[in-house]
Structures are given as C-alpha cells and as structure tokens.
Amino acid sequence: MPRSPNQDYEKDIGIYGFGYNYNIDDYKVFKIVDVSGETTVEVYTLGLDSWKSILTIPYRFDANRTAGVLVNGSLHWLGETGDEDIFNTIISLDISNDGFEEVKLPKETLEDGHLFGNVELLEGCLCVLSYIYKVRYEVWVMRDYGVQESWTKRYVISHERIMDGSFVSIMWTFTKNDEILLQGQNGLILYDLGHSIDRVPEIGTLGSPVY
C-alpha cells in the first residue's frame, strides 16, 4: 500500500473505516487524521492502489472508538461539533460518494443530558449506548435509518457491577437466552437482561451471536 497524502505531516488519531463500494465494484479504506489542527479525511481505493485527501471536516472524534460501524452503506462514529467538547451527534460517511452527514441522536437522551459510550450494530440497525453516570446505561436502536423519531430504547442496564466500569460497549446479543455480551473496563461481561444478573463468560460456550 502506498503512503497516504499527509503521512509526513499528520497526527494519526486512529480512526479508520473499511467498506465495499458497489457503484465502482471496489474496496475503500478511510483514514481520519489531524493535519495542522484540522480533521482531514483520506481514502485509499484498492483498484487504483492510491490514496487521496477528500476533504477537511468540522468534526472531532474520540481515538478510542477506532473502527466505523457500517450501516446502510455508510460508516458511523460518534462525533463532536462546535466547542461543546462532548459527543453530540453521529457522523456518517457514505462509502459511495465520500460525503459526510450528521445522524441525530435520540431526543430523550439529549434532553436528559446523557453521555454516549459508543455506536454499534444491533439487530441489523444502527445502535448507540448512552448513560447517566453511576445510574444506568441505555441501549437505543434506530429502527428506521435516518429518522430521529425511530430511535427505540431497547435495553436499560443498571446493575451495580456494570455501572462501576468506566466504559461499556456492546459485543453481541444472544436472543435465545436473552443475554447481552458487554466489553467493560475489566473484561467481558455476560449480562442476563431478564434477571438483571451478570457473570464472566467462559470462552467457547457462548454459542452463535445474533447481529
């Protein structure tokens, strides 16, 4: 793979995305970097074996959330706009035209001052994990892509052990047993949604994940 356009000048903030563009029958790799204090997007096209800088965008990203979540032909990350220094929107990148748009977060979470942990894929839909510190986590699913009113609160988690973790992300859900696998600060947690109990999973006994 050749060097990217700004490789000598960039501060790599570790945000990447990968996807297949059906319009040109080719694969793309996206990299979001800091170039002289500006967030710049670069794209590598496999068939051309070349990089290009496509645009500078007015968003900031958290380097701890590295890989974009692919839904509806677009990659998604939590982002910051303006000078609020908090995640306040979801940023989508259309793989086919390299264009960026904002996907609005659930109104209820914004009005109640929730913080946001991650963007995920759940049940084939865009999903976001929100939380009120030391109170509860909420798992929201966007049933109709791009429609803010279609956000649905899927799960509420308030178990003490999970709330003590500094960060939780959704790994898989297991609908047969009504369980959800979470990644916490101290490792994996298998949470029983029906009985509000948790346990450390035994690797090799989890069964098949449902996306």
Side-chain angles (χ1 to χ4, degrees), residues 6-112:
N6 298 293
Q7 192 161 326
D8 293 332
Y9 312 102
E10 70 192 31
K11 175 185 176 184
D12 192 342
I13 58 177
I15 305 297
Y16 295 87
F18 174 78
Y20 176 72
N21 185 347
Y22 290 91
N23 294 337
I24 61 173
D25 187 27
D26 209 346
Y27 292 92
K28 290 182 175 182
V29 175
F30 297 90
K31 181 167 68 168
I32 300 174
V33 296
D34 184 324
V35 179
S36 301
E38 295 187 323
T39 304
T40 301
V41 183
E42 301 175 345
V43 58
Y44 170 80
T45 304
L46 180 62
L48 299 176
D49 191 28
S50 65
W51 286 92
K52 67 175 181 178
S53 294
I54 54 175
L55 74 167
T56 298
I57 56 175
Y59 306 115
R60 293 185 301 275
F61 300 84
D62 184 349
N64 291 322
R65 284 75 166 173
T66 55
V69 175
L70 184 60
V71 182
N72 201 48
S74 295
L75 294 161
H76 300 80
W77 300 267
L78 279 175
E80 300 174 0
T81 63
D83 299 320
E84 297 184 40
D85 199 29
I86 58 172
F87 296 125
N88 54 12
T89 191
I90 296 174
I91 310 301
S92 72
L93 168 59
D94 190 316
I95 293 176
S96 63
N97 62 23
D98 302 337
F100 279 82
E101 292 185 359
E102 295 183 26
V103 178
K104 294 184 180 298
L105 290 162
K107 289 181 179 179
E108 181 178 325
T109 61
L110 295 172
E111 292 169 354
D112 292 345

Side-chain angles (χ1 to χ4, degrees), residues 122-209:
L122 184 63
E123 300 170 349
C125 298
L126 188 65
C127 164
V128 67
L129 186 68
S130 73
Y131 62 98
I132 299 176
Y133 185 64
K134 297 290 187 179
V135 177
R136 67 179 181 273
Y137 283 97
E138 295 180 358
V139 180
W140 291 79
V141 175
M142 183 175 254
R143 296 297 187 189
D144 188 1
Y145 181 80
V147 179
Q148 186 181 22
E149 291 74 20
S150 73
W151 282 109
T152 302
K153 189 188 303 181
R154 187 70 174 83
Y155 305 118
V156 176
I157 302 171
S158 57
H159 192 276
E160 181 179 353
R161 179 168 174 263
I162 295 175
M163 294 311 302
D164 283 343
S166 63
F167 175 72
V168 173
S169 61
I170 301 167
M171 304 297 289
W172 290 314
T173 59
F174 302 89
T175 55
K176 181 178 179 180
N177 300 321
D178 202 21
E179 294 176 321
I180 186 167
L181 183 65
L182 304 169
Q183 172 67 57
Q185 184 182 26
N186 300 316
L188 296 176
I189 302 168
L190 193 60
Y191 182 72
D192 186 324
L193 295 159
H195 299 89
S196 297
I197 57 176
D198 70 88
R199 61 185 174 88
V200 177
E202 296 180 12
I203 304 301
T205 64
L206 295 177
S208 300

